[in-house]
Amino acid sequence: MRVKLYALSLAGLIASIGTAHAATDINFWHSMEGALGDRVSALVDSFNKSQSDYVVHAVYKGTYGESMNAGIAAFRGGSAPDILQVFEVGTATMMYAKGAIKPIQEMSEEVGDPINPDDFLGAVASYYSAPDGKLVSMPFNSSTPVFYYNKDAFKKAGLDADNPPKTWEEVAEAGKKLRAAGLECGYTTSWPSWIQLETFGAWHNTPYASKDNGFGGLDARLEVNQPLFVRHISFLAGMSKEGTFTYGGRGDASNALFTSGKCGMFTGSSGNRANIIKTGNFEFGTSSLPYHADVKGAPQNSIIGGASLWVFAKKSPEVYKGVTTFFKYISSPEKAAEWHQGTGYVPVTKAGFQLTQESGFYDKNPGSDVAVKQLDATTTENSRGIRLGYLPQIREIEDGEMEQIFAGKVTPEAGLENIVKRGNELLARFEKSVK
C-alpha cells in the first residue's frame, strides 16, 4: 500500500513539475507569404529557440483583408488568436473595436516590462498611437512606397540606368522609350489607392481628407476630388491610353509585371525588395517617388504602409507576458536591423536604423535607404498619414473607380467625385457607429 501511495505521489509530483514548466502557446496570425513568409517563420523560430517559456505558432491566414476579417470573426466566436497582423488602413477600425483589443503599451506595463514608444521612429510610433501618445499596436513591417526600375531594360532603351526619372513627366517619357525598345509595359503600380491617392497627397503636401486626414476627428471626409488629384489621375489615364502605363490590378497584383521583366518601371512597397531580389532575373534600381515638379512644397514625405501587430483582449496574464517578451525580442536592435535589411521594410526602431548604418549596409546596397530618406522629414497635417474608419472598404471603392477611369469608361473627374460621395457615406456611417 505504501509503495502504491508513494508511486502515486511521485507521479503527481512529476505531473505538477511538468505542468509548471510547460511552455505557454501564443498564436500569431499573419499575412506574409513567399520570401516575406520565410522571414516571419525564421524570426519566430529564432525566438522559440532563444527561450523555453513560450512557443509562438505563426499561421498564414491569407491577404491583409482576409486575415483581418478572420481575426474579427474569430474574436466574435470566442476563438481569437493572441496576435493578429493588421494592415495600416485597419488601424482606426481596430482602435475603435471596443472590448476587442488589448493596447500593447498598457499590456506591457501591466506585466512589468514596458514597451517604450520613444524607441521607435517618430513617424511609425505616432501612426500606431492613441491620442494620449501610448502605443495601441506593435510596429512591425512598416513600409513606404518607392520607385523601382529595371536597369537592364533602361540600358536596352538607351536610358541612363544611373539616373532614373524624378518627375511624372520624366516617367511618361521613359515609358515611351521602354515601349519602343520592345517592352510590353513601361510603368505599373501596386496598391493604386495607397500610392496614387493617399501617398500622392502626402508627397505633394495636399490633404487626402479633412481633419488632418482623420487624425483630427471622426468627422473627417475625403477630398480626393480636388484639382491636384484630378490632374494626377488624368495624367495616368493619359499614359494608360497611350500604352505607357499598365494597370495591373489591386493590392500587390501588379508586382509580377515588374519581377517578370514585362514592365520597366514600378511603384510599390519598400517591402517588395526581398521578393524582387528573389524572383527578378535582372539588375534593378530603387529611387524616390516621382512628383509633379511645379507643385509647391513637393516632395514632402511619403507615409507608412505595411502592418502592425494587435493583441486581442481577454487573454491570460501569462499569454500577455509571453507576447510582451516576443515583441521585445523582435524589436531588439539586432532583430529590427536584420528584418529591415532582409526585407526592405523600414527599420521601425531608432536603434535598428543606427545599427544598420554602422554596419555599412546602405553603402553596400545602394537604394536600400530610399524608404528611410522619404520618411525622414518633419510631417505636416497633410503628410502624417491616414486615419479613417472603413478605410479598407474605401480603398475598394477607390480601386473600382480607378479601374473604370484607366479603362476609359468614366472621366477622372466623375470617378473621383464618385469616390468622395461613396467614401463619405461610409465615413458618416463609421462616425455614427462609434458615437
Side-chain angles (χ1 to χ4, degrees):
M1 187 68 175
R2 286 181 181 175
V3 174
K4 185 176 181 181
L5 287 173
Y6 176 77
L8 286 171
S9 62
L10 182 60
L13 178 62
I14 293 172
S16 66
I17 292 173
T19 301
H21 290 278
T24 299
D25 291 318
I26 297 170
N27 293 311
F28 169 26
W29 290 4
H30 68 87
S31 297
M32 303 277 92
E33 59 181 338
L36 293 174
D38 294 340
R39 292 280 177 180
V40 169
S41 296
L43 185 61
V44 168
D45 287 344
S46 66
F47 170 74
N48 289 339
K49 291 174 182 176
S50 72
Q51 45 72 54
S52 58
D53 294 324
Y54 312 100
V55 177
V56 174
H57 303 277
V59 180
Y60 173 73
K61 295 296 285 188
T63 64
Y64 281 137
E66 291 169 346
S67 63
M68 181 175 172
N69 291 336
I72 292 172
F75 175 78
R76 289 172 179 164
S79 59
D82 303 306
I83 305 169
L84 177 67
Q85 183 187 32
V86 178
F87 55 171
E88 90 287 2
V89 293
T91 300
T93 300
M94 297 296 285
M95 279 185 67
Y96 291 106
K98 296 178 181 178
I101 298 305
K102 184 72 171 178
I104 66 116
Q105 191 168 342
E106 174 187 310
M107 171 194 71
S108 64
E109 289 171 353
E110 286 181 1
V111 302
D113 192 10
I115 294 173
N116 186 355
D118 291 337
D119 292 341
F120 300 87
L121 295 178
V124 176
S126 65
Y127 196 98
Y128 296 119
S129 295
D132 62 5
K134 289 197 172 186
L135 287 168
V136 291
S137 63
M138 181 69 183
F140 181 49
N141 57 309
S142 291
S143 61
T144 200
V146 296
F147 181 82
Y148 297 103
Y149 65 103
N150 184 326
K151 287 192 170 186
D152 295 345
F154 264 52
K155 293 173 184 177
K156 181 180 178 182
L159 293 163
D160 187 347
D162 296 318
N163 187 28
K166 296 297 182 185
T167 68
W168 280 108
E169 290 72 22
E170 290 174 354
V171 170
E173 288 303 310
K176 292 176 183 177
K177 293 183 179 180
L178 289 166
R179 288 299 308 280
L183 256 72
E184 182 179 318
C185 155
Y187 162 72
T188 191
T189 186
S190 65
W191 296 98
S193 299
W194 177 42
I195 296 175
Q196 304 302 339
L197 293 177
E198 296 167 24
T199 301
F200 175 84
W203 196 231
H204 291 80
N205 199 21
T206 297
Y208 167 86
S210 62
K211 292 283 183 177
D212 299 349
N213 288 338
F215 278 87
L218 288 166
D219 55 342
R221 298 296 183 263
L222 298 180
E223 296 187 348
V224 296
N225 55 351
Q226 296 303 306
L228 185 57
F229 289 98
V230 174
R231 170 189 170 184
H232 180 61
I233 298 302
S234 297
F235 185 86
L236 290 178
M239 286 184 64
S240 178
K241 188 174 182 179
E242 70 183 15
T244 51
F245 165 59
T246 299
Y247 173 76
R250 306 183 184 192
D252 279 329
S254 67
N255 290 9
L257 287 175
F258 183 69
T259 56
S260 66
K262 292 180 179 179
C263 288
M265 299 176 290
F266 170 63
T267 44
S269 167
S270 58
N272 283 337
R273 182 179 177 84
N275 275 324
I276 295 174
I277 292 172
K278 183 177 180 179
T279 61
N281 190 26
F282 52 83
E283 183 183 4
F284 73 95
T286 309
S287 186
S288 55
L289 291 171
Y291 65 100
H292 292 290
D294 61 341
V295 176
K296 187 177 181 181
Q300 168 58 38
N301 64 270
S302 57
I303 58 178
I304 66 167
S308 63
L309 306 181
W310 293 78
V311 180
F312 278 102
K314 302 178 182 178
K315 302 295 182 179
S316 71
E318 191 60 29
V319 164
Y320 287 146
K321 186 176 180 182
V323 170
T324 300
T325 302
F326 177 56
F327 285 173
K328 283 295 192 74
Y329 179 83
I330 65 176
S331 61
S332 66
E334 295 76 17
K335 290 302 174 184
E338 182 182 302
W339 174 259
H340 160 55
Q341 294 171 28
T343 63
Y345 284 109
V346 299
V348 295
T349 66
K350 297 171 184 175
F353 175 53
Q354 184 176 351
L355 192 61
T356 301
Q357 276 186 313
E358 293 171 353
S359 72
F361 178 81
Y362 297 131
D363 295 328
K364 300 171 187 174
N365 297 273
S368 59
D369 59 344
V370 167
V372 181
K373 288 180 178 179
Q374 286 187 173
L375 292 168
D376 186 21
T378 301
T379 60
T380 71
E381 66 274 12
N382 300 323
S383 68
R384 181 181 176 187
I386 313 294
R387 182 167 293 172
L388 300 174
Y390 293 145
L391 193 50
Q393 293 90 328
I394 290 172
R395 278 188 175 177
E396 289 292 321
I397 292 172
E398 292 171 335
D399 288 340
E401 292 293 340
M402 282 193 281
E403 286 170 356
Q404 297 295 304
I405 293 170
F406 298 144
K409 295 180 180 179
V410 300
T411 65
E413 293 84 355
L416 292 171
E417 285 291 347
N418 284 338
I419 289 171
V420 169
K421 179 178 181 296
R422 295 170 62 196
N424 285 346
E425 289 172 355
L426 283 176
L427 290 174
R429 191 192 311 167
F430 183 80
E431 180 185 7
K432 186 177 180 180
S433 71
V434 171
K435 287 183 177 179

